[in-house]
Amino acid sequence: MATFGGLMEWLGAAKAPARREKSDFRLRALPREDILLYVKDIDNTGVERVADTRETLASVGMAGGVIAASVLVIALMLPGTYSLVVSHRIESLKQEREQLVNTLRSVRADRARLESPAQVEHWAGREFVAPAANAVLYAAPGGETVAKLSGGE
Amino acid sequence: MAIQVERKSARRAIWIGRLTVFWALAVFGKLVYLQVVMHDEYVVIARNQHERTVPVRATRGEIVDRTGHPLALSIRTQSAVINPRRVVDTKFFAGSVAPVLGIPAPEIEAGIEERKLRPAGAPGRSYMVLKRHVSDEEALRLKRQPFPYIEIVHDSRREYPNATLASHVLGSLNREGNGNAGIEQKLNADLKGTPGTMRVLTDSLQERYISWIEKPATEGANLTLTLDSAIQYEAERALAEGVEAAAAKKATVLVMRPEDGAVLALANYPTFDPSEVIPEEPGARKAALHRRLNIAVQEPCEPGSVMKMITVTMGLDTGEYSGNSLINCENGRFPRPGRKPITDLRQGYGTIPLPMVLIKSSNIGVAKVAIDLGPRTLWEYLMKFGMGRKTGIELPGETAGILRRLECQGPNDHWCWGPNSHEYISFGHEIAATAVQLARATAVVANGGYLVEPHLVARKQRPRADGTMEDLPVVREKPKRAIGGDTSIQLRKIMQRVVLEGTGKRAKVAGWSTGGKTGSAEMFVPGQGWVNRHNSSFIGFAPVANPKVVVVVTLNDTPRQGGAAAAPVFAKVASAALRILQVPMDAPETSVPETPEQVIASGPEKVEVLPPDPVTAAEPETPALPSSPLLAGPRAPDFRGLPLVAVLRRSSALGVEVEVVGSGRAQRQNPPPGSVMPAGGRVRVEFAKP
């Protein structure tokens, strides 16, 4: 890794070793390349990190500020958003209520149809069975009774 | 070299900065233009996109009977409509839509083509209802069709769950949802309500998320009628049977509560289905409209003899006559010099008391009362009984009947009484009244002398937005005294005798005392003269002591007279009404029609005592004990040895139901004599010839 030419040579060595032997296309060494392409290893083991409190505080403050601002914005938007969601819900409930009221009307119509006098008589005529005499309880005559049969002959 | 590069970079930076500033200014300028200059315009556009005014429909009010049973109610539906002019390929459209709607494709195709050919401005050219009251599934399938011009619009369907029951009272709706008959028409404004408006905000999917009422809708008022659907049903059935039995063409029956004029039932024959749409074809349309005619309030007819009730009332109420006043009925023919004689139709009567004039329905008798008291008095009493005036019942097209002016307004005035009009009016000619007018007049006698206002609406309520009900005022006139209370009682007793011994024997009701009057007016047919067909009627009330119902029956164009045609209908309707209203009985429930055998048997009985039946003698008669004290009925009487008529009379008097087998004299019975019968049980009596 000493020179750029060496690098190129290393790169090209693996790909075309045969051609390298036939023709010399290597770049010539650049003037002062050993200086320009010198890489000096830096040893930071001796460096001591000094805590910069101001910068840290500033960074944390910045982050905190951004978060606080975000929370504030979200908090400000939250009631509006919530009311929007609730409004949607209320509207859907209103429509559902209308549908249920309509269904109720429809059910009432069906019920009235089944309870109509003609229908009741139709079913009474088909399904009614006269109960046995001893299965019928007769209440004692009330105050409004204007005539009653005597108990004996 | 380095300085030049720095200058170039600085210049470039300055240009970028300038461009940025220009861009920012342009954006700012555009914002100012949009937000300030075009503010109003864009606000309108935005509102149109997100904010709309939608109508708030007012639901048509419900109609229920006095027990709360629904008679008419509205259900919200949806209908599919199109603009026929937007249909490009009619055949393809009809073929696609027909299976969804279940309508034949040629029918849809023909409808669209016919509308397309209509001239500009003609109704229906740009609007066609594909199908009314489509189901949710049908609507969804229609929306999926590749025809954006199919619209699903709000609609409403009026339900009459009892089919034809009380159709003439309820009426019906036209296509626009307005009443075209009955209470639906008369109280359309109350029932319909007023639609309101609502503002709604919609999101990008056009789903509403906020709405507020701009103008509140006024819901249609709910009506509670005085009708009783059970009485109405019985009345309609009895009327149909009566029409068939009497071969009548039209008929009406009206049941009214006499104390306040509340109509409990009102039925006409023929009737109609309120749900049916009136057809366009002229012949069918005429027939449909004929069925919708409310005879009880729209078609007056000569009342005939029922008018005698008013004439006799006049005689008694003025004090000029009493129950003992004698009237010479001229043996059935009352000749007047220069005038047509008045005759009694059935048979002639000599001098009879005033009550017998009504009981035997003597034309001459009532004519003499009218002649004696004069036309002005008769006019005044006709007014007191509400003749010639609308009753104010909540039904459309009510007629005031026919009652001409008492005094002529000039020599050419023919709409006034002639010199002998009062004689004819006294027995129901030269006058016409509707069934509801006759019911009101009968109620005067039945309620102690007050003229009431016949009405159908007991209560009006309007639903509020919070779900509660607001009571609306129902304005009604107070009953006015028309005749004295004593006169009313006298009349009721006389009219009871009409049923017991006069022309209205078929109006007897088992279990309740009834009073009434028959009426028959011969029909005059233009071109044919007087034909042997009648408008037969019966007016009556029950029970006599404290009437709870007034029933008026009229059968038009029947060969039978009132006593034979209308009285049986009265009996059926009154019996059903009294039973449903749970009116206490005041007469024997098991009344047996009088037969000649009974008349003969009413003499002193000679009961031959037969030797005891070997079967019954062998078995000692031990009175059966009831299984529960509550099951105790009467003890079985001893019918053995009695002839049939005696058994019937005795069982009728005791209120014991009997089952008769064979003929001759009673040989054996079950249960045996003296045993306690189960309540409601009957005695089987076997007869054999001795």
Side-chain angles (χ1 to χ4, degrees), chain A residues 57-85:
Chain A
L57 283 175
S59 300
V60 171
M62 179 75 76
V66 169
I67 291 168
S70 304
V71 169
L72 189 67
V73 169
I74 290 169
L76 287 172
M77 287 176 66
L78 203 61
T81 312
Y82 182 71
S83 67
L84 200 67
V85 172

PDB file of all heavy atoms in Angstrom, chain A residues 57-85:
ATOM      1  N   LEU A  57     -26.673  19.824  26.643  1.00  0.00           N
ATOM      2  CA  LEU A  57     -27.943  20.450  27.069  1.00  0.00           C
ATOM      3  C   LEU A  57     -28.690  21.044  25.886  1.00  0.00           C
ATOM      4  O   LEU A  57     -29.906  20.954  25.775  1.00  0.00           O
ATOM      5  CB  LEU A  57     -27.661  21.524  28.117  1.00  0.00           C
ATOM      6  CG  LEU A  57     -27.368  21.005  29.526  1.00  0.00           C
ATOM      7  CD1 LEU A  57     -26.993  22.161  30.449  1.00  0.00           C
ATOM      8  CD2 LEU A  57     -28.578  20.270  30.078  1.00  0.00           C
ATOM      9  N   ALA A  58     -27.888  21.664  25.024  1.00  0.00           N
ATOM     10  CA  ALA A  58     -28.513  22.277  23.846  1.00  0.00           C
ATOM     11  C   ALA A  58     -29.184  21.216  22.984  1.00  0.00           C
ATOM     12  O   ALA A  58     -30.314  21.397  22.502  1.00  0.00           O
ATOM     13  CB  ALA A  58     -27.459  23.033  23.040  1.00  0.00           C
ATOM     14  N   SER A  59     -28.450  20.070  22.825  1.00  0.00           N
ATOM     15  CA  SER A  59     -29.007  18.993  21.995  1.00  0.00           C
ATOM     16  C   SER A  59     -30.271  18.414  22.633  1.00  0.00           C
ATOM     17  O   SER A  59     -31.300  18.229  21.973  1.00  0.00           O
ATOM     18  CB  SER A  59     -27.971  17.870  21.839  1.00  0.00           C
ATOM     19  OG  SER A  59     -26.828  18.384  21.234  1.00  0.00           O
ATOM     20  N   VAL A  60     -30.128  18.109  23.915  1.00  0.00           N
ATOM     21  CA  VAL A  60     -31.290  17.555  24.617  1.00  0.00           C
ATOM     22  C   VAL A  60     -32.451  18.544  24.600  1.00  0.00           C
ATOM     23  O   VAL A  60     -33.620  18.183  24.391  1.00  0.00           O
ATOM     24  CB  VAL A  60     -30.904  17.178  26.070  1.00  0.00           C
ATOM     25  CG1 VAL A  60     -32.141  16.811  26.887  1.00  0.00           C
ATOM     26  CG2 VAL A  60     -29.923  16.032  26.076  1.00  0.00           C
ATOM     27  N   GLY A  61     -32.120  19.791  24.820  1.00  0.00           N
ATOM     28  CA  GLY A  61     -33.156  20.833  24.806  1.00  0.00           C
ATOM     29  C   GLY A  61     -33.840  20.898  23.467  1.00  0.00           C
ATOM     30  O   GLY A  61     -35.077  21.024  23.370  1.00  0.00           O
ATOM     31  N   MET A  62     -32.987  20.808  22.414  1.00  0.00           N
ATOM     32  CA  MET A  62     -33.562  20.839  21.060  1.00  0.00           C
ATOM     33  C   MET A  62     -34.504  19.655  20.848  1.00  0.00           C
ATOM     34  O   MET A  62     -35.637  19.828  20.383  1.00  0.00           O
ATOM     35  CB  MET A  62     -32.423  20.784  20.045  1.00  0.00           C
ATOM     36  CG  MET A  62     -32.860  20.776  18.609  1.00  0.00           C
ATOM     37  SD  MET A  62     -33.414  22.389  18.063  1.00  0.00           S
ATOM     38  CE  MET A  62     -31.850  23.219  17.867  1.00  0.00           C
ATOM     39  N   ALA A  63     -33.992  18.476  21.233  1.00  0.00           N
ATOM     40  CA  ALA A  63     -34.833  17.272  21.056  1.00  0.00           C
ATOM     41  C   ALA A  63     -36.102  17.363  21.901  1.00  0.00           C
ATOM     42  O   ALA A  63     -37.213  17.074  21.432  1.00  0.00           O
ATOM     43  CB  ALA A  63     -34.038  16.027  21.456  1.00  0.00           C
ATOM     44  N   GLY A  64     -35.900  17.797  23.127  1.00  0.00           N
ATOM     45  CA  GLY A  64     -37.064  17.935  24.013  1.00  0.00           C
ATOM     46  C   GLY A  64     -38.067  18.929  23.473  1.00  0.00           C
ATOM     47  O   GLY A  64     -39.283  18.709  23.520  1.00  0.00           O
ATOM     48  N   GLY A  65     -37.531  20.014  22.965  1.00  0.00           N
ATOM     49  CA  GLY A  65     -38.418  21.050  22.410  1.00  0.00           C
ATOM     50  C   GLY A  65     -39.232  20.515  21.245  1.00  0.00           C
ATOM     51  O   GLY A  65     -40.448  20.761  21.148  1.00  0.00           O
ATOM     52  N   VAL A  66     -38.500  19.773  20.375  1.00  0.00           N
ATOM     53  CA  VAL A  66     -39.214  19.205  19.219  1.00  0.00           C
ATOM     54  C   VAL A  66     -40.292  18.239  19.681  1.00  0.00           C
ATOM     55  O   VAL A  66     -41.433  18.266  19.196  1.00  0.00           O
ATOM     56  CB  VAL A  66     -38.200  18.502  18.273  1.00  0.00           C
ATOM     57  CG1 VAL A  66     -38.939  17.677  17.229  1.00  0.00           C
ATOM     58  CG2 VAL A  66     -37.301  19.533  17.618  1.00  0.00           C
ATOM     59  N   ILE A  67     -39.915  17.394  20.644  1.00  0.00           N
ATOM     60  CA  ILE A  67     -40.912  16.427  21.141  1.00  0.00           C
ATOM     61  C   ILE A  67     -42.088  17.151  21.802  1.00  0.00           C
ATOM     62  O   ILE A  67     -43.256  16.832  21.561  1.00  0.00           O
ATOM     63  CB  ILE A  67     -40.246  15.443  22.126  1.00  0.00           C
ATOM     64  CG1 ILE A  67     -39.283  14.536  21.356  1.00  0.00           C
ATOM     65  CG2 ILE A  67     -41.280  14.610  22.881  1.00  0.00           C
ATOM     66  CD1 ILE A  67     -38.357  13.717  22.218  1.00  0.00           C
ATOM     67  N   ALA A  68     -41.764  18.140  22.603  1.00  0.00           N
ATOM     68  CA  ALA A  68     -42.832  18.887  23.292  1.00  0.00           C
ATOM     69  C   ALA A  68     -43.752  19.576  22.287  1.00  0.00           C
ATOM     70  O   ALA A  68     -44.978  19.572  22.425  1.00  0.00           O
ATOM     71  CB  ALA A  68     -42.221  19.908  24.245  1.00  0.00           C
ATOM     72  N   ALA A  69     -43.094  20.156  21.271  1.00  0.00           N
ATOM     73  CA  ALA A  69     -43.897  20.835  20.247  1.00  0.00           C
ATOM     74  C   ALA A  69     -44.799  19.837  19.535  1.00  0.00           C
ATOM     75  O   ALA A  69     -45.976  20.121  19.270  1.00  0.00           O
ATOM     76  CB  ALA A  69     -42.975  21.530  19.251  1.00  0.00           C
ATOM     77  N   SER A  70     -44.200  18.645  19.269  1.00  0.00           N
ATOM     78  CA  SER A  70     -45.002  17.618  18.593  1.00  0.00           C
ATOM     79  C   SER A  70     -46.182  17.198  19.467  1.00  0.00           C
ATOM     80  O   SER A  70     -47.325  17.093  18.999  1.00  0.00           O
ATOM     81  CB  SER A  70     -44.145  16.391  18.296  1.00  0.00           C
ATOM     82  OG  SER A  70     -43.037  16.761  17.538  1.00  0.00           O
ATOM     83  N   VAL A  71     -45.865  16.978  20.731  1.00  0.00           N
ATOM     84  CA  VAL A  71     -46.939  16.578  21.659  1.00  0.00           C
ATOM     85  C   VAL A  71     -48.000  17.665  21.739  1.00  0.00           C
ATOM     86  O   VAL A  71     -49.216  17.391  21.749  1.00  0.00           O
ATOM     87  CB  VAL A  71     -46.348  16.270  23.057  1.00  0.00           C
ATOM     88  CG1 VAL A  71     -47.456  16.115  24.097  1.00  0.00           C
ATOM     89  CG2 VAL A  71     -45.505  15.015  23.014  1.00  0.00           C
ATOM     90  N   LEU A  72     -47.534  18.902  21.781  1.00  0.00           N
ATOM     91  CA  LEU A  72     -48.478  20.021  21.862  1.00  0.00           C
ATOM     92  C   LEU A  72     -49.381  20.072  20.633  1.00  0.00           C
ATOM     93  O   LEU A  72     -50.603  20.235  20.738  1.00  0.00           O
ATOM     94  CB  LEU A  72     -47.688  21.338  21.998  1.00  0.00           C
ATOM     95  CG  LEU A  72     -48.534  22.569  22.313  1.00  0.00           C
ATOM     96  CD1 LEU A  72     -49.142  22.455  23.708  1.00  0.00           C
ATOM     97  CD2 LEU A  72     -47.698  23.834  22.205  1.00  0.00           C
ATOM     98  N   VAL A  73     -48.697  19.913  19.488  1.00  0.00           N
ATOM     99  CA  VAL A  73     -49.488  19.936  18.242  1.00  0.00           C
ATOM    100  C   VAL A  73     -50.493  18.793  18.238  1.00  0.00           C
ATOM    101  O   VAL A  73     -51.674  18.974  17.906  1.00  0.00           O
ATOM    102  CB  VAL A  73     -48.544  19.849  17.010  1.00  0.00           C
ATOM    103  CG1 VAL A  73     -49.346  19.593  15.739  1.00  0.00           C
ATOM    104  CG2 VAL A  73     -47.746  21.126  16.873  1.00  0.00           C
ATOM    105  N   ILE A  74     -50.001  17.598  18.640  1.00  0.00           N
ATOM    106  CA  ILE A  74     -50.910  16.434  18.679  1.00  0.00           C
ATOM    107  C   ILE A  74     -52.041  16.692  19.676  1.00  0.00           C
ATOM    108  O   ILE A  74     -53.207  16.409  19.400  1.00  0.00           O
ATOM    109  CB  ILE A  74     -50.126  15.154  19.042  1.00  0.00           C
ATOM    110  CG1 ILE A  74     -49.214  14.786  17.876  1.00  0.00           C
ATOM    111  CG2 ILE A  74     -51.061  13.998  19.370  1.00  0.00           C
ATOM    112  CD1 ILE A  74     -48.194  13.718  18.189  1.00  0.00           C
ATOM    113  N   ALA A  75     -51.679  17.266  20.817  1.00  0.00           N
ATOM    114  CA  ALA A  75     -52.696  17.547  21.837  1.00  0.00           C
ATOM    115  C   ALA A  75     -53.727  18.552  21.332  1.00  0.00           C
ATOM    116  O   ALA A  75     -54.925  18.445  21.619  1.00  0.00           O
ATOM    117  CB  ALA A  75     -52.045  18.059  23.105  1.00  0.00           C
ATOM    118  N   LEU A  76     -53.196  19.509  20.580  1.00  0.00           N
ATOM    119  CA  LEU A  76     -54.137  20.500  20.038  1.00  0.00           C
ATOM    120  C   LEU A  76     -55.053  19.878  18.986  1.00  0.00           C
ATOM    121  O   LEU A  76     -56.217  20.241  18.866  1.00  0.00           O
ATOM    122  CB  LEU A  76     -53.362  21.690  19.438  1.00  0.00           C
ATOM    123  CG  LEU A  76     -52.719  22.639  20.448  1.00  0.00           C
ATOM    124  CD1 LEU A  76     -51.820  23.647  19.730  1.00  0.00           C
ATOM    125  CD2 LEU A  76     -53.783  23.388  21.243  1.00  0.00           C
ATOM    126  N   MET A  77     -54.474  18.967  18.218  1.00  0.00           N
ATOM    127  CA  MET A  77     -55.264  18.358  17.149  1.00  0.00           C
ATOM    128  C   MET A  77     -56.177  17.252  17.655  1.00  0.00           C
ATOM    129  O   MET A  77     -57.164  16.906  17.003  1.00  0.00           O
ATOM    130  CB  MET A  77     -54.335  17.784  16.069  1.00  0.00           C
ATOM    131  CG  MET A  77     -53.677  18.854  15.224  1.00  0.00           C
ATOM    132  SD  MET A  77     -52.524  18.124  14.072  1.00  0.00           S
ATOM    133  CE  MET A  77     -53.616  17.219  13.016  1.00  0.00           C
ATOM    134  N   LEU A  78     -55.815  16.706  18.805  1.00  0.00           N
ATOM    135  CA  LEU A  78     -56.540  15.532  19.297  1.00  0.00           C
ATOM    136  C   LEU A  78     -58.050  15.765  19.483  1.00  0.00           C
ATOM    137  O   LEU A  78     -58.854  14.953  19.010  1.00  0.00           O
ATOM    138  CB  LEU A  78     -55.912  15.059  20.612  1.00  0.00           C
ATOM    139  CG  LEU A  78     -56.170  13.603  20.969  1.00  0.00           C
ATOM    140  CD1 LEU A  78     -55.599  12.676  19.899  1.00  0.00           C
ATOM    141  CD2 LEU A  78     -55.585  13.269  22.319  1.00  0.00           C
ATOM    142  N   PRO A  79     -58.441  16.881  20.144  1.00  0.00           N
ATOM    143  CA  PRO A  79     -59.898  17.067  20.305  1.00  0.00           C
ATOM    144  C   PRO A  79     -60.630  17.150  18.974  1.00  0.00           C
ATOM    145  O   PRO A  79     -61.709  16.577  18.813  1.00  0.00           O
ATOM    146  CB  PRO A  79     -59.990  18.395  21.072  1.00  0.00           C
ATOM    147  CG  PRO A  79     -58.673  18.564  21.711  1.00  0.00           C
ATOM    148  CD  PRO A  79     -57.673  17.933  20.806  1.00  0.00           C
ATOM    149  N   GLY A  80     -59.984  17.857  18.042  1.00  0.00           N
ATOM    150  CA  GLY A  80     -60.615  17.984  16.722  1.00  0.00           C
ATOM    151  C   GLY A  80     -60.742  16.637  16.040  1.00  0.00           C
ATOM    152  O   GLY A  80     -61.800  16.279  15.501  1.00  0.00           O
ATOM    153  N   THR A  81     -59.655  15.888  16.102  1.00  0.00           N
ATOM    154  CA  THR A  81     -59.655  14.565  15.476  1.00  0.00           C
ATOM    155  C   THR A  81     -60.668  13.659  16.160  1.00  0.00           C
ATOM    156  O   THR A  81     -61.429  12.944  15.507  1.00  0.00           O
ATOM    157  CB  THR A  81     -58.244  13.933  15.579  1.00  0.00           C
ATOM    158  OG1 THR A  81     -57.293  14.889  15.159  1.00  0.00           O
ATOM    159  CG2 THR A  81     -58.151  12.685  14.724  1.00  0.00           C
ATOM    160  N   TYR A  82     -60.656  13.755  17.495  1.00  0.00           N
ATOM    161  CA  TYR A  82     -61.582  12.914  18.258  1.00  0.00           C
ATOM    162  C   TYR A  82     -63.033  13.281  17.921  1.00  0.00           C
ATOM    163  O   TYR A  82     -63.883  12.405  17.709  1.00  0.00           O
ATOM    164  CB  TYR A  82     -61.327  13.088  19.749  1.00  0.00           C
ATOM    165  CG  TYR A  82     -62.212  12.225  20.611  1.00  0.00           C
ATOM    166  CD1 TYR A  82     -62.023  10.847  20.662  1.00  0.00           C
ATOM    167  CD2 TYR A  82     -63.249  12.775  21.353  1.00  0.00           C
ATOM    168  CE1 TYR A  82     -62.854  10.057  21.429  1.00  0.00           C
ATOM    169  CE2 TYR A  82     -64.070  11.986  22.121  1.00  0.00           C
ATOM    170  CZ  TYR A  82     -63.879  10.628  22.165  1.00  0.00           C
ATOM    171  OH  TYR A  82     -64.693   9.837  22.909  1.00  0.00           O
ATOM    172  N   SER A  83     -63.274  14.593  17.866  1.00  0.00           N
ATOM    173  CA  SER A  83     -64.654  15.010  17.560  1.00  0.00           C
ATOM    174  C   SER A  83     -65.036  14.586  16.148  1.00  0.00           C
ATOM    175  O   SER A  83     -66.198  14.257  15.880  1.00  0.00           O
ATOM    176  CB  SER A  83     -64.803  16.520  17.715  1.00  0.00           C
ATOM    177  OG  SER A  83     -64.048  17.167  16.740  1.00  0.00           O
ATOM    178  N   LEU A  84     -64.056  14.548  15.248  1.00  0.00           N
ATOM    179  CA  LEU A  84     -64.343  14.088  13.890  1.00  0.00           C
ATOM    180  C   LEU A  84     -64.750  12.615  13.884  1.00  0.00           C
ATOM    181  O   LEU A  84     -65.738  12.222  13.259  1.00  0.00           O
ATOM    182  CB  LEU A  84     -63.089  14.287  13.024  1.00  0.00           C
ATOM    183  CG  LEU A  84     -63.301  14.328  11.526  1.00  0.00           C
ATOM    184  CD1 LEU A  84     -64.082  15.560  11.131  1.00  0.00           C
ATOM    185  CD2 LEU A  84     -61.955  14.306  10.807  1.00  0.00           C
ATOM    186  N   VAL A  85     -63.964  11.845  14.628  1.00  0.00           N
ATOM    187  CA  VAL A  85     -64.266  10.405  14.707  1.00  0.00           C
ATOM    188  C   VAL A  85     -65.631  10.204  15.360  1.00  0.00           C
ATOM    189  O   VAL A  85     -66.464   9.413  14.890  1.00  0.00           O
ATOM    190  CB  VAL A  85     -63.163   9.678  15.514  1.00  0.00           C
ATOM    191  CG1 VAL A  85     -63.548   8.229  15.776  1.00  0.00           C
ATOM    192  CG2 VAL A  85     -61.849   9.741  14.759  1.00  0.00           C
TER     193      VAL A  85
END
